[in-house]
Amino acid sequence: MAGLDPLIHAPTRLQLVTTLSAVSEAEFATVRAALDVSDSVLSKHVSALVEAGYLHSRKGVHAGRRTTWIGLTPAGRKALHEHVAALRRVIDAVE
């Protein structure tokens, strides 16, 4: 269906972008715990979404340890809003 974004349609990626939509950015470990996935699974999804321009990633120090922060880019927010609108159209067609 038009408007569904195959890049963010996968359940884990959809959870990832919706989780990040509520904040400017979040610590990698916090997102990993919220999604209940491994480091490698989250890293794979983050890399694909960074490559697509939907997420940004930066390294930093938090509480004395190195960490990675991730957040949605404007393009990622737009893609999420368009995907949700397309999902609503699909749901509305069920009746």
Side-chain angles (χ1 to χ4, degrees):
M1 175 164 218
L4 290 177
D5 187 329
L7 190 58
I8 61 174
H9 190 69
T12 300
R13 288 188 187 172
L14 187 56
Q15 287 180 294
L16 173 57
V17 295
T18 56
T19 298
L20 292 173
S21 71
V23 296
S24 59
E25 63 181 6
E27 190 176 6
F28 185 94
T30 301
V31 176
R32 181 195 64 228
L35 299 182
D36 194 26
V37 296
S38 67
D39 282 352
S40 62
V41 167
L42 182 56
S43 181
K44 176 183 163 189
H45 290 304
V46 167
S47 293
L49 293 169
V50 165
E51 186 176 315
Y54 287 2
L55 296 184
H56 65 85
S57 174
R58 70 176 178 87
K59 303 284 185 188
V61 176
H62 178 70
R65 61 183 176 78
R66 290 195 44 78
T67 189
T68 301
W69 294 86
I70 53 177
L72 280 175
T73 63
R77 286 188 189 279
K78 182 176 187 271
L80 174 59
H81 286 280
E82 290 173 356
H83 187 76
V84 168
L87 286 172
R88 286 188 175 124
R89 288 191 300 274
V90 169
I91 292 165
D92 287 345
V94 170
E95 308 287 356

